[in-house]
Amino acid sequence: MPQIEIPVEKLLPVLHVIDLVPNIPGFPSSTFVRLGIAGNKLLMTLSAELHGSVSVAAVGDLKLKQDIFCDRNLLFPFLFAANKLKSKKPFVFTFSDDRLRVVHGRRKGVFDCADRGAGYHEAEFDDKGTELVLQEGMLAKLQMAASCATSDTSVPELNCAFVKRENDVVEFYGSNQLLAMRARKKTKGQVPESLAIPLLIIPYLNAEGLKEVRLHKKEIALHFDCGVLWHPISIKAQNGFPHETIDNLLAEGKKYPEAFRLQVKRLQKVVERFNLYLASAKKQDWVLHIKGAEGTEQLLLEVKIPQGIFHEQVTVDEPIKKAFELDWPLDVLLPVFEHLFKIEDDVLQVRFGAETPYLLSADDCAVAVTRRK
């Protein structure tokens, strides 16, 4: 029977790359991996908003008449299980009667396959593209912007992290309509004047085995030795991201009176404890109530949930000039805080007026938080 053999140590790194394509409900092309043979290589393709195409050298020939489609939810776990086994034997693939059979030592998996599939994309780009070089510190800013972006794909202009460069300064933007942020970083890297980076591709910009990131006219592509992952660039996001509106909002925020400032590391300890307390509560219930009394140097922090109430205190840098109370959506701000905590030696400054948004700034990052009605 026609068969191919692939060593475990060669297949698994390739499998890890194609497995980065998320399995999204409603996208059969992200659930059923397309398998094909080209020369002496096994080809694997998955597609959703993020697309992936990889190949691995094989010995033998399956003699497939056409591509076949196999459920990744069954095939991939069987293959990945080799990580925990001592067997040095290769994977042996055979195909007959619409079934893929995979043998590894004394293990055998039999997988039903389809001979038709739709929605798969080929790794064919209109141009060679240019390399995107993310220097040290830039990825962290980009991840912070992504944490502030909306995951709602029906709002494409906000479903991205937006990057804008002016001379040697790169600005990173993110917004989800509840908050808007901007971070700045000086760089000599190769960054375009503007770019809307899709959210799905950002977690993999430091993936193991990544060789380079290339920008094409319509896509951003991650190149590996075994293949490529790519995501279309949204024209609506590229042309419609409201970076000027965010700039104006943050500039206006600098005019608000300063309510308090405190060491980031002090806030970090309190927020981490709240995160621990609230681990089992619904995130939409995570509203952080902060109260400051005039002339004191203590903030009272409180989170109420249906099951209980938690209180904490934190010391500010200077006596509070005017009493205040405010509510912050902790579930939304938590990812922002996690990034700010990485610059723990800095100071967080908070400004707001009677009916204005809240402006939080530290180092070269600024976040405007919508006031809840």
Coordinates of all heavy atoms in Angstrom, one line a residue, residues 8-74:
V8 N 9.3 11.9 13.7 CA 8.6 12.7 14.7 C 9.2 14.1 14.8 O 8.5 15.1 14.9 CB 8.5 12.0 16.0 CG1 8.0 12.9 17.1 CG2 7.7 10.7 15.9
E9 N 10.6 14.2 14.9 CA 11.3 15.4 15.2 C 11.1 16.4 14.1 O 11.4 17.6 14.2 CB 12.7 15.2 15.5 CG 13.6 14.6 14.4 CD 13.5 13.0 14.4 OE1 12.6 12.4 15.0 OE2 14.4 12.4 13.7
K10 N 10.8 15.9 12.9 CA 10.5 16.9 11.7 C 9.1 17.3 11.6 O 8.8 18.5 11.3 CB 11.0 16.2 10.4 CG 12.5 16.0 10.3 CD 12.8 15.5 8.9 CE 14.3 15.4 8.7 NZ 14.7 15.0 7.3
L11 N 8.2 16.4 11.9 CA 6.7 16.7 11.8 C 6.2 17.7 12.9 O 5.5 18.6 12.6 CB 5.9 15.5 11.7 CG 4.4 15.7 11.5 CD1 4.1 16.5 10.3 CD2 3.6 14.4 11.6
L12 N 6.6 17.4 14.1 CA 6.0 18.1 15.2 C 6.2 19.6 15.2 O 5.3 20.4 15.4 CB 6.4 17.5 16.6 CG 5.8 16.1 16.9 CD1 6.1 15.8 18.3 CD2 4.3 16.0 16.5
P13 N 7.5 20.1 14.9 CA 7.7 21.6 14.8 C 6.8 22.2 13.7 O 6.3 23.3 13.9 CB 9.2 21.7 14.4 CG 9.8 20.4 15.0 CD 8.8 19.4 14.7
V14 N 6.6 21.5 12.6 CA 5.8 22.0 11.5 C 4.3 22.0 12.0 O 3.6 23.0 11.7 CB 5.9 21.1 10.2 CG1 5.0 21.6 9.1 CG2 7.4 21.2 9.7
L15 N 3.9 21.0 12.7 CA 2.5 20.9 13.2 C 2.3 22.1 14.2 O 1.2 22.6 14.2 CB 2.3 19.6 13.9 CG 0.9 19.1 14.1 CD1 0.2 18.9 12.7 CD2 0.9 17.8 14.9
H16 N 3.2 22.4 15.0 CA 3.1 23.5 15.9 C 2.8 24.8 15.2 O 2.0 25.7 15.6 CB 4.3 23.7 16.8 CG 4.3 22.8 18.0 ND1 3.5 22.9 19.0 CD2 5.1 21.7 18.3 CE1 3.7 22.0 19.9 NE2 4.7 21.2 19.5
V17 N 3.4 25.0 14.0 CA 3.2 26.3 13.2 C 1.8 26.3 12.6 O 1.1 27.3 12.8 CB 4.2 26.4 12.1 CG1 3.9 27.6 11.2 CG2 5.6 26.5 12.7
I18 N 1.4 25.2 12.0 CA 0.0 25.3 11.4 C -1.1 25.3 12.4 O -2.2 25.8 12.2 CB -0.2 24.1 10.4 CG1 -1.4 24.2 9.5 CG2 -0.2 22.8 11.2 CD1 -1.3 25.4 8.6
D19 N -0.8 24.8 13.6 CA -1.7 24.8 14.7 C -2.0 26.2 15.3 O -2.9 26.4 16.1 CB -1.3 23.8 15.8 CG -2.4 23.4 16.8 OD1 -3.6 23.2 16.3 OD2 -2.2 23.3 18.0
L20 N -1.1 27.1 14.9 CA -1.4 28.5 15.3 C -2.6 29.1 14.7 O -3.2 30.1 15.2 CB -0.1 29.4 15.0 CG 1.2 29.0 15.7 CD1 2.3 29.9 15.3 CD2 1.0 29.1 17.2
V21 N -3.0 28.6 13.6 CA -4.3 29.0 12.9 C -5.4 28.6 13.8 O -5.6 27.5 14.1 CB -4.5 28.4 11.5 CG1 -5.8 28.9 10.9 CG2 -3.3 28.8 10.6
P22 N -6.2 29.6 14.4 CA -7.2 29.3 15.3 C -8.4 28.5 14.7 O -8.7 28.6 13.5 CB -7.7 30.6 15.8 CG -7.4 31.6 14.7 CD -6.1 31.1 14.1
N23 N -8.9 27.6 15.5 CA -10.1 26.8 15.0 C -11.4 27.6 15.4 O -11.7 27.7 16.5 CB -10.1 25.5 15.7 CG -11.2 24.5 15.2 OD1 -12.0 24.9 14.4 ND2 -11.1 23.3 15.6
I24 N -12.0 28.2 14.4 CA -13.1 29.2 14.6 C -14.4 28.5 14.1 O -14.5 28.1 13.0 CB -12.8 30.5 13.8 CG1 -11.5 31.1 14.3 CG2 -14.0 31.4 14.0 CD1 -11.2 32.4 13.6
P25 N -15.4 28.5 15.0 CA -16.7 28.0 14.6 C -17.3 28.7 13.4 O -17.2 29.9 13.3 CB -17.6 28.2 15.9 CG -16.6 28.3 17.0 CD -15.3 28.9 16.4
G26 N -17.8 28.0 12.5 CA -18.4 28.6 11.3 C -17.4 28.6 10.1 O -17.8 29.0 9.0
F27 N -16.1 28.3 10.4 CA -15.1 28.2 9.4 C -14.6 26.8 9.2 O -13.6 26.4 9.9 CB -13.9 29.1 9.7 CG -14.2 30.6 9.5 CD1 -14.8 31.3 10.5 CD2 -13.9 31.2 8.3 CE1 -15.1 32.7 10.3 CE2 -14.1 32.6 8.1 CZ -14.7 33.3 9.2
P28 N -15.3 25.9 8.4 CA -14.8 24.5 8.3 C -13.4 24.4 7.8 O -12.7 23.5 8.1 CB -15.8 24.0 7.2 CG -17.0 24.8 7.3 CD -16.5 26.2 7.7
S29 N -12.9 25.5 7.1 CA -11.5 25.4 6.6 C -10.5 25.7 7.7 O -9.3 25.5 7.5 CB -11.4 26.5 5.5 OG -11.8 27.8 5.9
S30 N -11.0 26.0 8.9 CA -10.1 26.1 10.0 C -10.2 24.9 10.9 O -9.4 24.7 11.8 CB -10.4 27.4 10.9 OG -11.6 27.2 11.6
T31 N -11.1 24.0 10.6 CA -11.3 22.8 11.4 C -10.8 21.6 10.7 O -10.1 20.7 11.3 CB -12.8 22.6 11.7 OG1 -13.3 23.7 12.5 CG2 -13.0 21.3 12.5
F32 N -11.0 21.6 9.4 CA -10.5 20.4 8.6 C -9.2 20.8 7.8 O -9.2 21.7 7.0 CB -11.6 20.0 7.6 CG -12.8 19.4 8.3 CD1 -13.8 20.2 8.7 CD2 -12.9 18.1 8.5 CE1 -14.9 19.7 9.3 CE2 -14.0 17.5 9.1 CZ -15.0 18.3 9.5
V33 N -8.1 20.2 8.2 CA -6.8 20.5 7.6 C -6.8 19.9 6.2 O -7.1 18.7 6.1 CB -5.7 20.1 8.5 CG1 -5.7 18.6 8.8 CG2 -4.3 20.5 7.9
R34 N -6.4 20.7 5.3 CA -6.2 20.2 3.9 C -4.8 19.5 3.8 O -3.8 20.2 4.1 CB -6.4 21.3 2.9 CG -6.3 20.8 1.4 CD -6.5 22.0 0.5 NE -5.3 22.8 0.4 CZ -5.3 23.9 -0.3 NH1 -6.3 24.4 -1.0 NH2 -4.2 24.6 -0.3
L35 N -4.8 18.3 3.4 CA -3.6 17.5 3.2 C -3.3 17.2 1.7 O -4.2 16.8 1.0 CB -3.6 16.2 4.0 CG -3.9 16.3 5.5 CD1 -4.0 14.9 6.1 CD2 -2.7 17.1 6.2
G36 N -2.1 17.5 1.3 CA -1.8 17.2 -0.1 C -0.3 16.8 -0.2 O 0.5 16.9 0.7
I37 N 0.1 16.3 -1.4 CA 1.4 15.9 -1.7 C 2.0 16.7 -2.8 O 1.3 16.8 -3.9 CB 1.5 14.4 -2.0 CG1 1.1 13.5 -0.8 CG2 2.9 14.0 -2.4 CD1 2.0 13.6 0.4
A38 N 3.2 17.3 -2.7 CA 3.8 18.0 -3.7 C 5.3 17.5 -3.7 O 6.1 17.8 -2.8 CB 3.8 19.5 -3.5
G39 N 5.6 16.7 -4.7 CA 7.0 16.1 -4.8 C 7.2 15.2 -3.6 O 6.4 14.2 -3.4
N40 N 8.2 15.4 -2.8 CA 8.4 14.6 -1.6 C 8.0 15.3 -0.3 O 8.6 15.1 0.7 CB 9.9 14.2 -1.6 CG 10.8 15.5 -1.4 OD1 10.4 16.6 -1.6 ND2 12.0 15.3 -0.9
K41 N 7.0 16.1 -0.4 CA 6.6 16.9 0.8 C 5.1 16.7 1.0 O 4.3 16.6 0.1 CB 6.9 18.4 0.6 CG 8.4 18.7 0.6 CD 8.6 20.2 0.6 CE 10.1 20.6 0.7 NZ 10.3 22.0 0.8
L42 N 4.8 16.6 2.3 CA 3.4 16.7 2.8 C 3.0 18.1 3.0 O 3.6 18.8 3.8 CB 3.2 15.8 4.1 CG 1.8 15.9 4.7 CD1 0.7 15.3 3.8 CD2 1.8 15.2 6.1
L43 N 1.9 18.6 2.4 CA 1.4 19.9 2.5 C 0.2 20.0 3.5 O -0.6 19.1 3.4 CB 1.0 20.5 1.2 CG 2.0 20.4 0.0 CD1 1.4 21.0 -1.2 CD2 3.3 21.0 0.4
M44 N 0.2 21.0 4.3 CA -1.0 21.2 5.3 C -1.4 22.6 5.2 O -0.6 23.5 5.3 CB -0.6 20.8 6.7 CG -0.3 19.3 6.9 SD 0.1 18.9 8.6 CE 1.8 19.5 8.7
T45 N -2.7 22.8 5.1 CA -3.3 24.2 4.9 C -4.5 24.3 5.8 O -5.4 23.4 5.9 CB -3.7 24.4 3.5 OG1 -2.6 24.2 2.6 CG2 -4.2 25.9 3.3
L46 N -4.6 25.4 6.5 CA -5.8 25.8 7.3 C -6.1 27.3 7.0 O -5.2 28.1 6.7 CB -5.6 25.6 8.8 CG -5.6 24.2 9.3 CD1 -5.1 24.2 10.7 CD2 -7.0 23.6 9.2
S47 N -7.4 27.6 7.0 CA -7.8 29.0 6.7 C -9.0 29.5 7.5 O -9.9 28.7 7.7 CB -8.2 29.2 5.2 OG -7.0 29.1 4.4
A48 N -8.9 30.7 8.1 CA -10.0 31.4 8.7 C -9.7 32.9 8.4 O -9.4 33.2 7.2 CB -10.1 31.1 10.1
E49 N -9.8 33.8 9.4 CA -9.3 35.1 9.2 C -7.7 35.0 9.0 O -7.1 35.8 8.2 CB -9.6 36.0 10.3 CG -11.1 36.5 10.3 CD -11.9 35.7 11.3 OE1 -11.5 34.5 11.7 OE2 -13.0 36.1 11.8
L50 N -7.1 34.1 9.8 CA -5.7 33.9 9.7 C -5.5 32.6 8.9 O -6.2 31.6 9.1 CB -5.1 33.7 11.1 CG -3.6 33.4 11.2 CD1 -2.8 34.6 10.7 CD2 -3.2 33.1 12.7
H51 N -4.6 32.7 7.9 CA -4.4 31.5 7.0 C -3.0 31.0 7.3 O -2.1 31.7 7.7 CB -4.5 32.0 5.6 CG -5.7 32.8 5.3 ND1 -6.9 32.2 5.2 CD2 -5.8 34.1 5.0 CE1 -7.8 33.2 4.9 NE2 -7.2 34.3 4.8
G52 N -2.8 29.7 7.0 CA -1.5 29.0 7.2 C -1.3 27.9 6.2 O -2.2 27.2 5.8
S53 N -0.1 27.9 5.7 CA 0.3 26.8 4.7 C 1.7 26.4 5.0 O 2.6 27.2 5.1 CB 0.2 27.4 3.3 OG 0.6 26.4 2.4
V54 N 1.9 25.1 5.3 CA 3.2 24.6 5.7 C 3.5 23.3 4.9 O 2.6 22.6 4.4 CB 3.3 24.3 7.2 CG1 3.2 25.6 8.0 CG2 2.3 23.3 7.7
S55 N 4.8 22.8 5.0 CA 5.1 21.6 4.3 C 6.2 20.9 5.1 O 7.0 21.6 5.8 CB 5.6 21.8 2.9 OG 6.7 22.6 2.8
V56 N 6.3 19.6 5.0 CA 7.4 18.8 5.7 C 7.8 17.7 4.7 O 7.0 17.1 4.0 CB 6.9 18.3 7.0 CG1 5.7 17.4 6.8 CG2 8.0 17.6 7.8
A57 N 9.1 17.5 4.7 CA 9.7 16.4 3.8 C 9.2 15.0 4.3 O 9.1 14.7 5.5 CB 11.2 16.5 3.9
A58 N 8.9 14.2 3.3 CA 8.4 12.8 3.6 C 9.1 11.9 2.7 O 9.6 12.2 1.6 CB 6.9 12.8 3.4
V59 N 9.2 10.6 3.1 CA 9.8 9.6 2.3 C 8.7 8.6 1.9 O 7.9 8.1 2.7 CB 10.8 8.7 3.1 CG1 11.4 7.6 2.3 CG2 12.0 9.6 3.6
G60 N 8.6 8.4 0.5 CA 7.5 7.6 0.0 C 6.5 8.4 -0.8 O 6.8 9.6 -1.1
D61 N 5.4 7.9 -1.1 CA 4.4 8.5 -1.8 C 3.0 8.0 -1.5 O 2.8 6.8 -1.5 CB 4.6 8.4 -3.3 CG 3.7 9.3 -4.2 OD1 2.8 9.9 -3.6 OD2 3.9 9.3 -5.4
L62 N 2.1 8.8 -1.1 CA 0.7 8.4 -0.7 C -0.1 8.1 -2.0 O -1.2 7.5 -1.9 CB 0.0 9.5 0.1 CG 0.2 9.4 1.6 CD1 -0.6 10.6 2.3 CD2 -0.2 8.1 2.2
K63 N 0.4 8.7 -3.1 CA -0.4 8.5 -4.4 C -1.8 9.0 -4.3 O -2.8 8.4 -4.7 CB -0.3 7.1 -4.9 CG 1.1 6.6 -5.2 CD 1.1 5.2 -5.9 CE 2.5 4.8 -6.2 NZ 3.2 5.7 -7.0
L64 N -2.0 10.2 -3.7 CA -3.3 10.8 -3.6 C -3.7 11.4 -5.0 O -2.9 12.0 -5.7 CB -3.3 12.0 -2.6 CG -3.0 11.7 -1.1 CD1 -3.0 12.9 -0.3 CD2 -4.1 10.7 -0.6
K65 N -4.9 11.1 -5.4 CA -5.4 11.7 -6.6 C -5.8 13.1 -6.5 O -5.8 13.9 -7.4 CB -6.6 10.8 -7.1 CG -6.3 9.4 -7.4 CD -7.5 8.6 -7.9 CE -7.1 7.2 -8.3 NZ -8.3 6.4 -8.7
Q66 N -6.1 13.5 -5.2 CA -6.5 14.9 -5.0 C -6.3 15.2 -3.5 O -6.0 14.2 -2.7 CB -8.0 15.2 -5.3 CG -8.9 14.3 -4.6 CD -10.3 14.4 -5.1 OE1 -10.6 14.9 -6.2 NE2 -11.3 14.0 -4.4
D67 N -6.4 16.4 -3.1 CA -6.2 16.7 -1.7 C -7.3 16.1 -0.8 O -8.4 15.8 -1.3 CB -6.3 18.3 -1.4 CG -5.1 19.0 -2.1 OD1 -4.1 18.3 -2.3 OD2 -5.2 20.2 -2.3
I68 N -7.0 15.8 0.4 CA -8.0 15.2 1.4 C -8.1 16.2 2.6 O -7.2 17.0 2.8 CB -7.6 13.8 1.8 CG1 -6.2 13.8 2.5 CG2 -7.6 12.9 0.6 CD1 -5.8 12.5 3.1
F69 N -9.2 16.0 3.3 CA -9.5 17.0 4.4 C -9.8 16.2 5.6 O -10.8 15.4 5.6 CB -10.7 17.9 4.0 CG -10.4 18.6 2.7 CD1 -10.7 18.0 1.5 CD2 -9.9 19.9 2.7 CE1 -10.4 18.7 0.3 CE2 -9.6 20.6 1.6 CZ -9.9 20.0 0.3
C70 N -9.1 16.4 6.7 CA -9.2 15.7 7.9 C -9.4 16.6 9.1 O -8.9 17.7 9.2 CB -7.9 14.9 8.1 SG -7.9 13.7 9.5
D71 N -10.2 16.1 10.1 CA -10.6 16.9 11.3 C -9.3 17.1 12.1 O -8.8 16.1 12.7 CB -11.7 16.2 12.0 CG -12.2 17.1 13.2 OD1 -11.6 18.0 13.6 OD2 -13.3 16.7 13.6
R72 N -8.8 18.3 12.3 CA -7.7 18.6 13.1 C -7.9 18.3 14.6 O -6.9 17.9 15.3 CB -7.3 20.1 13.0 CG -8.2 21.0 13.6 CD -8.0 22.5 13.3 NE -6.8 23.0 14.1 CZ -6.5 24.3 14.1 NH1 -7.1 25.1 13.3 NH2 -5.4 24.7 14.8
N73 N -9.2 18.3 15.0 CA -9.5 18.1 16.4 C -9.2 16.6 16.8 O -9.0 16.3 18.0 CB -10.9 18.4 16.7 CG -11.3 19.8 16.5 OD1 -10.5 20.7 17.0 ND2 -12.4 20.1 15.9
L74 N -9.1 15.7 15.8 CA -8.8 14.3 16.1 C -7.3 14.0 15.7 O -6.6 13.4 16.4 CB -9.7 13.4 15.3 CG -11.2 13.5 15.6 CD1 -12.0 12.6 14.7 CD2 -11.5 13.2 17.0

